[in-house]
Amino acid sequence: MQVDRPGQAGGLLAEMCAAVQKRLVPLAAEIADAIVAETPHYAAGLPTHTDLQVTVREFAGAELEAIAVGRGAVAAELAAAREHGARRARQGTAVEDVITGFYVGYRALWRELVALAQGPAAAEALLVGAETSMAWMLEITTALSTGHHDARVGRDALTAGGRLRLLNLASGTGEGTGGGDARELRSAAEQAGFDPGGEFRAWVAPTVQGLGEPEPPKLQEGKVARLQARLDLLPGTYAVGQEPGAVLVLVQGGKLDPVAGVLGEQGLACAAAGLARTGRYAARESLQDARAAAVVARGRAGRWTFAELWPLALADESGERLEPLIGPVVAVARRHPHLAEAVRAFADHGFTVSSAARALSVHPNTLSYRLERWQELTGVEVRTVAGLVASRTAVELVGADAEVDHRQPEDGDTGSPKSRNPTA
């Protein structure tokens, strides 16, 4: 665009613009300071102050030239604006902050020009220059926004591809140590926005059909997209994907409770978390943890963690090998739920009889008798490491099938010797 102007106005504008150009280096530093003060992202230090000053000098100089001769933005300036927008998008700067930075510079530039205007003729010249300046700024910021948008779309597509690739690799069954696909995992993690050397935690959330039973693809894809968008509002880095019958989430920097809360909001009431792991195969190993915990959870609502369920998970995986150790104890827990309840309370309350009895609202003598009775029937002593692991694992395996009930003990076993505790 070319703006017509009287000869005197054109001459005065050219003189004032030339005067501002002479002090553009210190002015650019002042403008950069103002941008940092007024925009959140620039205040965080990216881009650097030097980078910011160079950009201000480039575009402020071009704007002064446009005002001086009464023209719009030329092709080279528009190309520079598009590239600048794309570069700021790659640096993670919001387009709103970039445009705000340009208008902070625009405001400072016009303060300089106004300060130089002496007399009515100069003031009239500035009114003419303002039309040129606004038209130039509109063209430049439009080009900048276009460049930023295109780069952001491309970056988002690249990140989404990285998330999918990372989840696919983490879900694989390749080697857990050594060479294998460690390089691919690292590359995918970087592409997805994760720190490959950082800590990973995985979640597995069975869908309503249950683990291994697929939801209709379109329904699950929509759930994945909504979950990704919601988790991206939390601190941390997230990758959400799917496998038959379950939604998968990889997390870095996020906390357990907020993630579990978001999963619940999206209708995923059963959520199982793996251990927080580091190393070349951290994402894969944590995902294996989460799957094992999800299998033990059996779709029951709640937040489940491998850290709490690992004995049950290992028992589930070992199958027949543990049957001679666990099988008889499981049978006792099923037949005598009041004894299983006593074992659970004893373990959950610091291995203190009085605390466990209080939790169950029974007399301490009653609890002691039930623990003794447990040992008689199972042959294991809950006060030893081996006995405690076997007992607690058996109790939880039974509890996973059905909550322990409070029916009367079988075969007339009241759970307490009347001679020792007549009030129990």
Side-chain angles (χ1 to χ4, degrees):
M1 184 193 79
Q2 193 77 25
V3 176
D4 293 329
R5 58 187 57 192
Q8 184 182 12
L12 288 172
L13 280 172
E15 289 177 14
M16 287 187 285
C17 288
V20 176
Q21 286 274 18
K22 288 180 181 177
R23 65 174 306 266
L24 194 54
V25 172
L27 180 60
E30 294 169 15
I31 293 173
D33 288 339
I35 291 172
V36 169
E38 294 189 34
T39 53
H41 188 91
Y42 288 116
L46 184 67
T48 66
H49 202 277
T50 300
D51 181 351
L52 199 51
Q53 288 184 57
V54 169
T55 302
V56 170
R57 285 201 303 271
E58 176 186 356
F59 285 98
E63 183 177 2
L64 287 168
E65 182 184 322
I67 295 170
V69 299
R71 65 164 175 80
V74 297
E77 292 166 351
L78 294 172
R82 284 191 294 271
E83 174 52 34
H84 178 71
R87 185 157 58 95
R88 291 294 184 250
R90 291 191 292 269
Q91 291 173 333
T93 310
V95 68
E96 294 86 355
D97 280 356
V98 184
I99 292 175
T100 296
F102 267 71
Y103 279 99
V104 169
Y106 169 83
R107 184 183 65 204
L109 211 60
W110 272 89
R111 283 175 179 166
E112 292 289 316
L113 290 169
V114 169
L116 291 171
Q118 299 294 325
E124 287 183 23
L126 285 183
L127 289 175
V128 174
E131 183 181 355
T132 302
S133 181
M134 284 300 296
W136 183 92
M137 180 64 73
L138 179 60
E139 291 179 283
I140 289 295
T141 52
T142 299
L144 182 152
S145 299
T146 300
H148 191 284
H149 174 267
D150 291 347
R152 182 63 186 267
V153 168
R155 190 184 70 174
D156 288 350
L158 188 66
T159 300
R163 288 168 176 161
L164 179 61
R165 183 169 160 235
L166 176 61
L167 284 162
N168 286 340
L169 289 169
S171 299
T173 55
E175 297 179 36
T177 59
D181 57 359
R183 192 176 302 174
E184 286 184 280
L185 276 166
R186 180 180 184 84
S187 170
E190 289 175 341
Q191 184 183 344
F194 289 83
D195 172 9
E199 191 176 79
F200 285 83
R201 187 191 297 277
W203 290 78
V204 170
T207 53
V208 290
Q209 279 74 18
L211 202 62
E213 299 177 21
E215 259 189 328
K218 290 296 181 186
L219 178 61
Q220 192 154 317
E221 285 171 14
K223 187 176 291 183
V224 166
R226 289 192 300 273
L227 183 57
Q228 181 72 62
R230 181 65 182 83
L231 287 172
D232 283 341
L233 298 177
L234 299 178
T237 306
Y238 302 87
V240 183
Q242 58 185 308
E243 62 181 22
V247 170
L248 312 179
V249 183
L250 283 176
V251 181
Q252 197 167 74
K255 295 184 178 180
L256 284 170
D257 286 343
V259 174
V262 170
L263 290 169
E265 289 172 9
Q266 299 301 315
L268 299 164
C270 177
L275 296 176
R277 292 184 178 269
T278 57
R280 293 187 297 173
Y281 291 89
R284 175 177 297 171
E285 291 165 354
S286 187
L287 188 54
Q288 290 169 347
D289 297 339
R291 279 205 190 98
V295 168
V296 173
R298 290 176 171 84
R300 290 174 295 161
R303 187 193 81 184
W304 308 88
T305 66
F306 185 77
E308 297 170 336
L309 299 180
W310 66 267
L312 298 175
L314 294 179
D316 238 21
E317 290 176 4
S318 299
E320 294 180 359
R321 293 183 60 205
L322 289 180
E323 178 60 29
L325 293 172
I326 302 296
V329 190
V330 169
V332 172
R334 286 203 175 104
R335 286 198 308 271
H336 303 280
H338 65 296
L339 301 184
E341 190 178 48
V343 169
R344 179 188 280 114
F346 182 66
D348 287 349
H349 292 83
F351 312 106
T352 304
V353 169
S354 59
S355 297
R358 191 160 48 250
L360 294 178
S361 300
V362 299
H363 194 281
N365 287 348
T366 300
L367 189 77
S368 293
Y369 172 74
R370 289 181 181 179
L371 295 177
E372 290 170 14
R373 182 67 173 146
W374 176 267
Q375 183 177 354
E376 289 174 11
L377 294 173
T378 62
V380 298
E381 167 59 73
V382 294
R383 292 176 177 84
T384 66
V385 173
L388 176 63
V389 171
S391 297
R392 188 58 193 269
T393 301
V395 168
E396 293 304 323
L397 282 171
V398 172
D401 294 327
E403 292 297 324
V404 173
D405 63 19
H406 298 281
R407 59 190 169 86
Q408 287 299 312
E410 294 178 1
D411 303 324
D413 179 7
T414 63
S416 61
K418 291 183 180 179
S419 59
R420 279 192 265 176
N421 182 22
T423 63

